[in-house]
Amino acid sequence: MNPTERFARLVRGRDTTIPLTEAALLIAAHDHGVDEDEQLGRLEQLAADAPDDTEPLARYLFVERGFAGNEHDYADPANSFLDVVLRRRLGIPITLSLVLLEVGARRGLTLHGVGMPGHFLVGAGDDRFIDPFHRGAVLDRAGCRARFERLMPDTPWREAYLRPVGPRAILVRMLSNLVHTYVDRSPADAVWALRLRLTVPGVAPSERRDAAALLGSLGRFREAAAALDEVADELDAGSAAQAREDATRLRARAN
């Protein structure tokens, strides 16, 4: 089974049972060869010497072991590949959070992803959040809001931004980051990330429509048309008609 088929099978399972490490490594396997056993071994090795409490664990990973935010080249696609993050110890908020979540799980800690727009975090209780991108800083709700307002000053704050998110939402966000990075740097490479994103159940119809339209803009006319036809059944009448019209126009361009 190839990486795309394996990824699609995993994300179609129950959200709470999706093996997040395996799925994240399958994303990376679309860019380069990945030795999954080696990467699982790296996580096990990190966990073997890790503390059993959240704040000491954050210090262990993001101070002692040197995992850090890649502020020099934030948009580097490699920041989204878990195996590369484990090797270079550089990443973006979501992949550094993934390292914390997976090592924490191996130490028996109850942690969860927090999908705050613009800056992914890890939740460790009702009013305690870890920011792996900034050396494992510990924040309360007010601190999270302050981070958000600095990053997104034109967007109103909502407490809902601090709700836990599951594996499927984490994987969708990782793929969204890759799509945006590739569109800016290497548009042709965005295709595989878009394809993977469209395999994930629960992605909103409007997002799937946008992903299909982007496939069309990258010259994948028939593939984009098929995706638009599929999502049209889930849209309101006006949007559905537009999606089908766009699909017809894309097929004409493929002839």
Side-chain angles (χ1 to χ4, degrees):
M1 191 180 298
N2 66 40
T4 302
E5 292 170 338
R6 288 179 59 200
F7 182 86
R9 172 182 279 188
L10 290 181
V11 298
R12 287 171 187 153
R14 190 172 58 176
D15 194 26
T16 54
T17 64
I18 293 173
L20 190 52
T21 296
E22 183 180 350
L25 291 172
L26 287 170
I27 291 175
H30 285 75
D31 178 78
H32 55 267
V34 175
D35 185 330
E36 292 181 38
D37 290 337
E38 178 184 349
Q39 302 312 316
L40 290 169
R42 287 190 182 203
L43 284 170
E44 295 293 344
Q45 189 173 24
L46 280 170
D49 298 323
D52 292 328
D53 189 37
T54 302
E55 293 182 29
L57 174 59
R59 286 195 299 274
Y60 166 78
L61 289 173
F62 305 115
V63 178
E64 296 171 25
R65 290 303 181 101
F67 283 89
N70 189 348
E71 298 185 79
H72 175 69
D73 192 2
Y74 190 94
D76 181 356
N79 294 327
S80 292
F81 300 138
L82 179 58
D83 61 319
V84 180
V85 172
L86 289 170
R87 174 171 54 82
R88 300 194 311 182
R89 305 199 175 194
L90 282 176
I92 53 177
I94 195 166
T95 45
L96 295 172
S97 293
L98 180 54
V99 172
L100 176 57
L101 289 169
E102 293 300 283
V103 173
R106 285 162 172 78
R107 300 304 302 180
L109 298 177
T110 301
L111 304 172
H112 58 265
V114 175
M116 187 173 77
H119 201 78
F120 202 91
L121 301 166
V122 171
D126 289 340
D127 196 32
R128 190 167 56 148
F129 304 88
I130 309 298
D131 182 354
F133 192 80
H134 293 104
R135 294 173 61 85
V138 181
L139 306 172
D140 58 11
R141 289 177 178 267
C144 295
R145 179 172 182 170
R147 282 266 200 280
F148 174 84
E149 289 176 342
R150 280 198 298 273
L151 289 166
M152 308 184 75
D154 298 325
T155 303
W157 169 255
R158 296 174 57 195
E159 283 293 320
Y161 293 153
L162 297 182
R163 289 176 184 165
V165 296
R168 194 174 286 122
I170 292 173
L171 295 167
V172 167
R173 184 151 167 176
M174 289 176 68
L175 289 167
S176 297
N177 289 340
L178 275 169
V179 170
H180 292 147
T181 292
Y182 280 137
V183 165
D184 288 338
R185 290 193 171 204
S186 178
D189 290 325
V191 172
W192 67 259
L194 281 166
R195 285 175 177 157
L196 280 191
R197 188 178 177 193
L198 290 170
T199 69
V200 182
V203 177
S206 59
E207 290 185 53
R208 288 164 56 205
R209 179 188 59 202
D210 292 345
L214 185 51
L215 276 172
S217 73
L218 296 171
R220 305 288 174 152
F221 303 127
R222 289 192 178 89
E223 189 175 355
L228 285 170
D229 282 338
E230 183 178 342
V231 77
D233 294 333
E234 303 173 43
L235 300 171
D236 62 72
S239 297
Q242 183 63 57
R244 292 190 176 97
E245 181 181 331
D246 291 342
T248 299
R249 186 164 53 249
L250 285 166
R251 284 196 177 88
R253 293 185 66 185
N255 294 329

